[in-house]
Amino acid sequence: RYIEQFYPLEQQKEAQVTWMKAGSENNLPMLTLNADESSEYNKIMSDVDTYSNEMMLKFIIGVEPLSNYENYTSQMKKLGIDKAVSIKQATYDRFKAR
């Protein structure tokens, strides 16, 4: 129950209880990428994570206006985020097919 101290709103506490009651079916499975997928995914996500973290901070502190969010998503696509999602999707599809 330690987590409740971080929830100032009653709705947050209720949401936590609901989540815990739902059980493990809401947890994502451990997905194992093959060697080629892992290499490509890690390369993509290294750049994506760096760019995302930098831009998130810029958006938060106001250096980058939120009106440039479309440019942000465009750059994420150029960095290969769609390919990273498709790699994870393929891995999940293999998991579900077992």
Side-chain angles (χ1 to χ4, degrees):
R1 293 186 48 151
Y2 80 95
I3 195 74
E4 290 178 7
Q5 66 184 324
F6 300 107
Y7 298 147
L9 302 175
E10 193 59 38
Q11 295 93 329
Q12 292 171 302
K13 294 175 185 173
E14 291 170 9
Q16 178 68 27
V17 170
T18 301
W19 179 261
M20 296 307 290
K21 284 182 183 175
S24 63
E25 67 269 6
N26 291 320
N27 296 333
L28 291 175
M30 291 295 295
L31 301 176
T32 305
L33 288 83
N34 66 37
D36 291 336
E37 290 171 332
S38 182
S39 176
E40 185 173 8
Y41 181 81
N42 290 334
K43 182 185 178 317
I44 292 169
M45 291 309 295
S46 175
D47 294 339
V48 164
D49 287 341
T50 299
Y51 178 71
S52 177
N53 289 336
E54 289 173 359
M55 291 304 292
M56 180 175 53
L57 185 59
K58 287 180 180 182
F59 284 132
I60 290 171
I61 63 175
V63 174
E64 191 74 32
L66 287 178
S67 59
N68 287 345
Y69 188 78
E70 191 170 312
N71 295 340
Y72 165 77
T73 58
S74 176
Q75 181 62 26
M76 292 287 275
K77 288 181 184 292
K78 288 178 188 173
L79 292 173
I81 192 66
D82 291 333
K83 179 63 178 173
V85 169
S86 70
I87 290 170
K88 282 291 191 169
Q89 184 64 53
T91 306
Y92 181 68
D93 292 343
R94 280 196 310 271
F95 173 84
K96 293 294 279 185
R98 287 195 240 169

